Amino acid sequence: MHASTVRSLLVRGMLAGLIAGLLAFAVAYVVGEPPVDGAIAVEEAQAAQEAHPAPDAHAGHGGTAAEAPEEEEEAVSRPVQSTFGLATGVLVYGVALGGIAALAFSFALGRVGRFSPRATAALTAAAAFTTVYLVPFLKYPATPPAVGNPDTIGKRTTLFFLMILLSVLLGLAAVIAGRRLAPRLGNWNATLAAAAGFVVVTGVAFVLLPANDDAVKAGFPAALLWEFRLASLAVQAVLWAVFGVVFGVLAQKVLAARTAGADAPAPAGAPIPG
């Protein structure tokens, strides 16, 4: 593929990521922010209870609990975090992943089967959603802020990104295996075999990698936790679904225009390349 075509696809991938990010932000704000507010309320209630424990029944009238230290003022207010901060994070995330997915599309087009640009864009988005988010999510589900053990946040973050890297590598290995098996098994059977291998090896990784046993504090409301996780899943699903549709349309137009330009007859009198 020509460098100028890849560049055009990259720009349109970032544009599609921006559009997808706008819709994902709307979903995150409507369905994601309420459970975040609920988690913060639970955390504040627990902190207040720890700072002001119930008085000892055997203590005299003169015994009083020690005053809790004054809370530090937030550098960024919660309303700003839930609006401008959330929008900035989601949009930057969408644009960055849109550009990366566009490059992956440029590599995959024509190499994973005789699919149209729209179908290839849809497959690229589905593969990215599965490997970058869904598989790591199944092993290490998302948790609301301030509900886990702060002493292990570094370990939990490392494990999550390790799972992303492993999932992406296993996905690439499955694609390569499918292509090599296709001449012997046929495209359909090779795809099923590669997908089955991906599932099996991923399952082994799930068993071998340690669990996040301290990701959620004991006593945190289970319903609120699952509401947050479902909202997180919905945001990512919307992001990648919209990207796949929008980028597929944009990529189809770019490649159709390039093909039409390449097939156009040379003007009269123009030199014919030898």
Coordinates of all heavy atoms in Angstrom, one line a residue, residues 260-273:
A260 N -10.0 4.4 -8.4 CA -10.5 5.0 -9.6 C -9.5 5.9 -10.3 O -9.4 5.9 -11.5 CB -11.7 5.9 -9.2
G261 N -8.6 6.5 -9.4 CA -7.5 7.4 -10.0 C -6.5 6.5 -10.7 O -6.0 6.9 -11.8
A262 N -6.2 5.3 -10.2 CA -5.2 4.5 -10.8 C -5.7 3.9 -12.1 O -4.9 3.6 -13.0 CB -4.8 3.4 -9.8
D263 N -7.0 3.6 -12.2 CA -7.6 3.0 -13.4 C -8.0 4.0 -14.4 O -8.4 3.6 -15.5 CB -8.9 2.2 -13.0 CG -8.5 1.0 -12.1 OD1 -7.3 0.6 -12.1 OD2 -9.4 0.5 -11.4
A264 N -7.9 5.3 -14.1 CA -8.3 6.3 -15.1 C -7.3 6.3 -16.3 O -6.1 6.2 -16.1 CB -8.4 7.7 -14.4
P265 N -7.9 6.5 -17.5 CA -7.0 6.5 -18.7 C -6.1 7.8 -18.7 O -6.5 8.8 -18.2 CB -8.0 6.5 -19.9 CG -9.2 7.1 -19.3 CD -9.3 6.6 -17.9
A266 N -4.9 7.6 -19.2 CA -4.0 8.8 -19.3 C -4.5 9.8 -20.3 O -5.1 9.4 -21.3 CB -2.6 8.3 -19.7
P267 N -4.4 11.1 -20.1 CA -4.9 12.1 -21.0 C -4.1 12.0 -22.3 O -3.0 11.5 -22.4 CB -4.6 13.4 -20.3 CG -3.5 13.1 -19.3 CD -3.7 11.7 -18.9
A268 N -4.8 12.5 -23.4 CA -4.2 12.4 -24.7 C -2.9 13.2 -24.7 O -2.8 14.3 -24.2 CB -5.2 12.9 -25.7
G269 N -1.9 12.7 -25.3 CA -0.6 13.4 -25.4 C 0.3 13.2 -24.3 O 1.5 13.6 -24.3
A270 N -0.2 12.5 -23.2 CA 0.7 12.3 -22.0 C 1.7 11.2 -22.3 O 1.4 10.2 -23.0 CB -0.2 11.9 -20.8
P271 N 2.9 11.3 -21.8 CA 3.9 10.3 -22.1 C 3.5 9.0 -21.4 O 3.0 8.9 -20.3 CB 5.2 10.8 -21.5 CG 4.7 11.8 -20.5 CD 3.4 12.4 -21.0
I272 N 3.7 7.9 -22.1 CA 3.4 6.6 -21.6 C 4.7 6.0 -20.9 O 5.7 5.9 -21.5 CB 3.0 5.6 -22.7 CG1 1.7 6.2 -23.4 CG2 2.7 4.2 -22.2 CD1 1.3 5.3 -24.6
P273 N 4.5 5.6 -19.6 CA 5.7 5.2 -18.9 C 6.2 3.9 -19.6 O 5.4 3.0 -19.9 CB 5.3 4.9 -17.5 CG 3.7 4.8 -17.6 CD 3.4 5.6 -18.7

